[in-house]
């Protein structure tokens, strides 16, 4: 299992940097003089670059070598992390975060492709253990990011949440060079630059429209509509390709549409909320970064503890019941968070709401990507996995922008209300489109 642990370390670092920044956003905002939209771009620059380049990274890894692209992504991630730690203004930080997201795409695609080859389908038990190791470590990295970030920032300053990546990247480079074998597919998919551009703009334009709160309302609507139209053009362009980057036919079944809605709802209703919870905790209760990081355990530990319960619930009661129930719990916790804000409730009440919210997400989150893969034909399983990751990152980016737009950086009741609505829409999608089994 040495290969699995090494690749898990690489993949987890990419996921860790999605959430570790959340608890230090107030410090970044204060030192660099950011507005709420500028603060949101610290997260969205990463997510947009990640989502937009994922398929291109996969094609390059197939063509030029998975190990080579993994090492290139690792080196680029280290350079971007160093630049984040040394940044002096907003544009520099946004560029560095986008570079991190771009390199994270190579981590994910190169790492998962390498582990698929190291543990072939014929060795079912070893393959299951390997992907289990990656799943657990990635979930732990994302869930514990805010807490670990709080401790690091409290002791050394916010820049060190980026600089601590450097020794990890050095360790990854050393281990990958010694353990991971090179592999490539000369007949793999060609790089689809128009598709990558269309995908990135389809996500980025609505995000920018939401964050551009001080701009012309007509421009904001125009940018949103343009993003939707580009998404339609992307679907048309992909249907015309012999080997599409993403196959729209994966969503020809209503169950797949429902799972796609769940992926977006989870990202907007849970993962995006993790970015605003530390801001709320620090503003409402006067917590420092270290204290806020500890408080965030209420919103993250269930994501580590409950996935086995989600597996059991799915096996016992079916996909529809587990996803519907999980999203309802998530929505209920968010409603309680809204009440906590409006009624100026105690910290313990807010922590209880966060615990309920995370419990619902924990039941659904670990199963939803696998559900989309299970619905795909065997020869499209890799593409379905990449699409699931892209939908997660797109929902995360749009969710951050939407919550920032409605809250203006101060109205957390409005932000949590929108997140609750997203969770309830996810519950409705699961109830209306899914059955007990996905056969």
């Amino acid at each position: 299992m040495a290969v699995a642990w090494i690749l898990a370390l690489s993949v987890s670092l990419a996921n860790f940097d999605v959430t570790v920044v959340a608890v230090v956003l107030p410090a970044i905002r204060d030192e660099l003089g950011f507005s709420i939209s500028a603060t949101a771009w610290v997260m969205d620059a990463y997510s947009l670059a990640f989502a937009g380049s994922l398929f291109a990274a996969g094609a390059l890894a197939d063509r030029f070598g998975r190990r080579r692209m993994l090492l290139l992504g690792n080196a680029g991630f280290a350079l971007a992390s160093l630049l984040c730690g040394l940044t002096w203004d907003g544009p520099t930080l946004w560029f560095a975060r986008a570079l991190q997201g771009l390199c994270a795409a190579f981590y994910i695609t190169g790492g998962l492709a390498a582990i698929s080859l190291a543990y072939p389908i014929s060795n079912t038990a070893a393959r299951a253990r390997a992907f289990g190791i990656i799943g657990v470590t990635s979930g732990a990295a994302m869930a514990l990011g805010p807490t670990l970030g709080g401790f690091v920032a409290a002791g050394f300053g916010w820049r060190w949440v980026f600089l601590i990546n450097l020794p990890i990247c050095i360790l990854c480079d050393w281990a990958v060079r010694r353990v991971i074998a090179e592999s490539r597919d000369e007949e793999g998919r060609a790089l689809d630059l128009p598709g990558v551009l269309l995908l990135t703009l389809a996500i980025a334009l609505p995000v920018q429209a939401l964050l551009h709160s001080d701009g012309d309302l007509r421009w904001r609507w125009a940018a949103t509509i343009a993003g939707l139209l580009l998404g339609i053009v992307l679907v048309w362009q992909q249907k015309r390709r012999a080997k599409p980057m993403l196959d729209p036919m994966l969503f020809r079944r209503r169950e797949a549409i429902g799972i796609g809605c769940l992926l977006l709802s989870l990202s907007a209703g849970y993962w995006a909320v993790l970015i605003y919870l530390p801001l709320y905790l620090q503003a409402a209760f006067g917590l420092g970064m270290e204290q806020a990081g500890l408080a965030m355990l209420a919103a993250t530990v269930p994501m580590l503890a409950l996935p086995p319960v989600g597996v059991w619930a799915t096996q016992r009661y079916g996909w529809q019941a587990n996803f519907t129930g999980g999203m309802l719990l998530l929505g209920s916790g968010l409603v309680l968070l809204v009440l906590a804000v409006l009624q100026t409730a105690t910290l313990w009440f807010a922590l209880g709401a966060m615990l309920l919210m995370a419990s619902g997400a924990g039941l659904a989150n670990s199963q939803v990507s696998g559900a989309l893969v299970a619905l795909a034909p065997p020869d499209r399983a890799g593409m379905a996995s990449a699409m699931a990751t892209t939908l997660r990152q797109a929902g995360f980016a749009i969710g951050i922008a939407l919550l920032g737009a409605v809250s203006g950086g101060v109205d957390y009741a409005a932000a949590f209300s929108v997140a609750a609505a997203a969770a309830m829409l996810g519950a409705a999608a699961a109830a209306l489109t899914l059955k007990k089994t996905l056969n």
Side-chain angles (χ1 to χ4, degrees):
M1 289 286 116
V3 173
W5 283 109
I6 290 169
L7 292 173
L9 177 63
S10 300
V11 172
S12 298
L13 183 59
N15 288 315
F16 179 71
D17 263 61
V18 174
T19 58
V20 69
V21 184
V23 77
V24 300
L25 284 177
I28 294 174
R29 178 189 61 197
D30 293 343
E31 180 172 331
L32 299 182
F34 280 173
S35 64
I36 184 61
S37 61
T39 305
W41 270 114
V42 176
M43 303 302 302
D44 275 343
Y46 185 99
S47 296
L48 286 172
F50 191 178
S53 58
L54 194 64
F55 289 100
L60 290 172
D62 288 343
R63 183 63 58 88
F64 297 107
R66 285 93 182 203
R67 178 177 177 269
R68 178 180 296 173
M69 291 299 107
L70 181 57
L71 289 170
L72 180 63
N74 182 71
F77 197 88
L79 175 63
S81 298
L82 177 62
L83 186 56
C84 285
L86 300 178
T87 188
W88 56 88
D89 60 12
T92 308
L93 181 56
W94 301 329
F95 170 79
R97 286 288 286 168
L99 182 59
Q100 277 191 315
L102 172 66
C103 295
F106 286 94
Y107 266 138
I108 296 295
T109 55
L112 294 182
I115 205 166
S116 295
L117 292 169
Y119 302 95
I121 296 176
S122 58
N123 193 346
T124 306
R127 186 181 178 88
R129 287 197 301 272
F131 276 100
I133 289 170
I134 284 188
V136 170
T137 53
S138 296
M142 288 194 75
L144 297 179
T147 302
L148 295 177
F151 278 109
V152 171
F156 304 100
W158 66 264
R159 296 175 184 275
W160 281 93
V161 302
F162 301 110
L163 295 177
I164 58 171
N165 292 335
L166 297 179
I168 301 175
C169 289
I170 293 172
L171 176 61
C172 287
D173 183 89
W174 177 86
V176 168
R177 290 181 184 277
R178 282 155 180 76
V179 177
I180 308 301
E182 184 60 282
S183 64
R184 60 173 55 87
D185 179 9
E186 299 293 348
E187 302 301 322
R189 292 175 288 113
L191 180 60
D192 180 9
L193 288 177
V196 170
L197 181 61
L198 285 169
L199 174 62
T200 303
L201 289 176
I203 304 170
L205 284 174
V207 167
Q208 174 61 10
L210 287 168
L211 292 178
H212 200 63
S213 58
D214 56 346
D216 190 328
L217 186 61
R218 292 171 297 179
W219 183 92
R220 296 176 67 185
W221 275 108
T224 302
I225 294 171
L228 294 174
L229 291 176
L230 287 174
I232 295 171
V233 173
L234 173 65
V235 171
W236 173 82
Q237 185 249 3
Q238 292 296 301
K239 289 178 70 174
R240 291 173 57 87
R241 290 180 62 86
K243 291 185 177 181
M245 179 179 71
L246 56 90
D247 187 358
M249 293 305 292
L250 287 174
F251 292 96
R252 64 185 181 274
R253 294 176 58 179
R254 71 172 189 176
E255 291 89 349
I257 295 173
I259 294 298
C261 291
L262 277 171
L263 285 162
L264 294 171
S265 297
L266 264 171
S267 292
Y270 175 74
W271 292 111
V273 171
L274 290 189
I275 306 306
Y276 291 94
L277 275 176
L279 301 174
Y280 161 65
L281 292 170
Q282 293 178 61
F285 304 107
L287 303 184
M289 285 187 292
E290 187 175 0
Q291 294 170 315
L294 281 173
M296 285 295 293
L297 288 173
T300 56
V301 166
M303 293 295 290
L304 302 177
L306 289 181
V309 179
V311 173
W312 172 83
T314 299
Q315 294 172 343
R316 179 69 181 271
Y317 301 107
W319 296 96
Q320 183 189 52
N322 180 61
F323 286 139
T324 304
M327 297 305 290
L328 286 173
L329 282 177
L330 171 59
S332 300
L334 288 165
V335 169
L336 290 179
L337 267 179
V338 174
L339 294 177
V341 177
L342 295 177
Q343 302 298 322
T344 58
T346 64
L347 175 60
W348 289 108
F349 185 93
L351 292 177
M354 292 160 57
L355 189 65
L356 181 63
M357 172 194 82
S359 297
L363 290 174
N365 183 71
S366 64
Q367 298 292 296
V368 67
S369 294
L372 187 61
V373 174
L375 287 167
D379 63 338
R380 289 289 188 270
M383 182 184 294
S385 178
M387 289 186 72
T389 303
T390 300
L391 285 171
R392 282 184 182 275
Q393 292 299 323
F396 185 57
I398 293 171
I400 291 172
L402 181 59
L403 298 189
V406 300
S407 71
V410 294
D411 189 353
Y412 295 105
F416 298 151
S417 295
V418 171
M424 294 304 182
L425 286 174
L432 295 174
T433 64
L434 301 182
K435 297 178 289 188
K436 185 172 182 178
T437 65
L438 295 180
N439 298 330

